[in-house]
Amino acid sequence: MALAQCPAKAGVRSAARAAVRPGISRRALVCKAHQQANFGQKLASAAAAALLSFGGLGGPAIASEFDVLAEPTPTANYFVDDANVLSKSTRTELNKRLKLLEIQTGYRVEVVTVRRLEFETDAFAFADKVLENWYPTADAGKNKGLLLVVTASKEGAVTGGPGFAEAVGDELIDSIISTNIPIFTEEEKYNQTVVSSVDRLEAKLLGNPVPEAPVRNEVVRERTYRTKEETEKSKNVTSTVVGTLLLIAVVVPMLQYYGYTAKD
């Protein structure tokens, strides 16, 4: 690895005129220190790059988790789309609706998406950590809620402070994490996952009728093979047709022959 050359600096004497030690100049010492620092920086950068390049160690996933945990307390937006799956229209809609919901009810709901969880694999535990980082005191987080969607594992969580949890209720939370999130994420409809979940949370917090939970569309597979009964029936029909044709092939020439001989 080539080291950077030290530039000449004003006020540093040359080796020939140095009086520090024989053969060693102040310029030489400065240059050596500069080279060592530069080498250390390059070595550290290379090590960091190598660490991030090992996908098997889960580096990107853990980095993603820490990125979310390092996010400052949201003020302007009501979402952190770390998985980058929400469309521009969905983001705009979330900001408008959740801001209005906070004004009307006092409950602040935020949406977080991540690709996967490897450092903290439990979705609820991770969601709780995010809220604790954003609202460290019990009073600050009392009426705060969070909807988490994990795209790789097709799961998520709905959690929040005691005020939010009481207002929403366990029944709706269980319904969202067992229907809205898994059903739509399995189809990779992440925007619909978030919007449909927010629809239900919003209705509950406003005191309106809560939309019904989505139902998984069962795929009806058509049978492409014949049953034993159908096969036997087909064989019987085929045998009848073949027998009839053979009979015609034998009888018709005999009748024709008989007709010719009768004339004679």
Side-chain angles (χ1 to χ4, degrees), residues 3-9 12-15 24-40:
L3 297 177
Q5 297 296 325
C6 277
K9 295 185 179 181
V12 179
R13 293 179 295 176
S14 64
I24 299 178
S25 67
R26 190 182 305 173
R27 170 180 169 80
L29 291 174
V30 172
C31 184
K32 183 177 180 181
H34 177 79
Q35 291 174 342
Q36 288 176 342
N38 193 25
F39 177 77

Side-chain angles (χ1 to χ4, degrees), residues 41 64 76 103 113 144 150 157 190 194 203 234 243 255 262:
Q41 290 174 355
S64 175
I103 294 173
T113 70
K144 304 301 189 297
V150 186
Y190 302 114
V194 170
S234 176
L255 291 175

Side-chain angles (χ1 to χ4, degrees), residues 105-124:
T105 66
Y107 296 104
R108 181 181 178 94
V109 180
E110 276 133 353
V111 176
V112 174
T113 70
V114 293
R115 290 181 291 278
R116 59 172 49 86
L117 298 177
E118 292 187 6
F119 186 75
E120 175 54 79
T121 57
D122 183 84
F124 274 91

Side-chain angles (χ1 to χ4, degrees), residues 144-246:
K144 304 301 189 297
L146 187 143
L147 168 65
L148 172 69
V149 176
V150 186
T151 60
S153 56
K154 316 299 183 188
E155 63 176 341
V158 177
T159 188
F164 171 84
E166 183 179 356
V168 173
D170 292 339
E171 183 178 353
L172 179 57
I173 292 176
D174 291 340
S175 178
I176 291 174
I177 65 173
S178 61
T179 59
N180 294 77
I181 294 176
I183 288 176
F184 292 126
T185 54
E186 285 173 6
E187 300 175 2
E188 297 189 351
K189 296 178 180 179
Y190 302 114
N191 290 274
Q192 193 169 353
T193 303
V194 170
V195 172
S196 65
S197 300
V198 168
D199 285 342
R200 304 184 74 193
L201 291 172
E202 180 185 44
K204 182 68 174 180
L205 293 174
L206 288 172
N208 297 331
V210 178
E212 293 292 330
V215 178
R216 182 177 277 103
N217 293 325
E218 297 294 341
V219 178
V220 179
R221 296 183 179 179
E222 295 184 359
R223 182 164 46 87
T224 57
Y225 58 90
R226 291 186 295 180
T227 63
K228 182 179 180 181
E229 292 76 11
E230 291 172 339
T231 303
E232 292 297 330
K233 184 179 179 180
S234 176
K235 285 183 178 179
N236 293 335
V237 172
T238 303
S239 300
T240 302
V241 172
V242 171
T244 302
L245 292 176
L246 288 174

Side-chain angles (χ1 to χ4, degrees), residues 36-56:
Q36 288 176 342
N38 193 25
F39 177 77
Q41 290 174 355
K42 291 184 177 180
L43 184 61
S45 299
L51 180 61
L52 290 176
S53 67
F54 287 109

Side-chain angles (χ1 to χ4, degrees), residues 67-146:
D67 287 343
V68 174
L69 292 172
E71 283 285 330
T73 303
T75 54
N77 293 322
Y78 288 77
F79 64 86
V80 176
D81 184 22
D82 188 74
N84 197 29
V85 292
L86 301 181
S87 65
K88 184 178 179 180
S89 60
T90 298
R91 294 180 177 188
T92 302
E93 180 184 353
L94 288 175
N95 278 336
K96 289 181 179 179
R97 292 178 59 182
L98 295 178
K99 181 177 182 179
L100 182 60
L101 178 66
E102 184 178 13
I103 294 173
Q104 292 176 329
T105 66
Y107 296 104
R108 181 181 178 94
V109 180
E110 276 133 353
V111 176
V112 174
T113 70
V114 293
R115 290 181 291 278
R116 59 172 49 86
L117 298 177
E118 292 187 6
F119 186 75
E120 175 54 79
T121 57
D122 183 84
F124 274 91
F126 179 73
D128 287 336
K129 282 185 177 182
V130 174
L131 275 183
E132 288 172 5
N133 282 354
W134 288 348
Y135 309 104
T137 66
D139 186 61
K142 180 180 179 181
N143 293 330
K144 304 301 189 297
L146 187 143

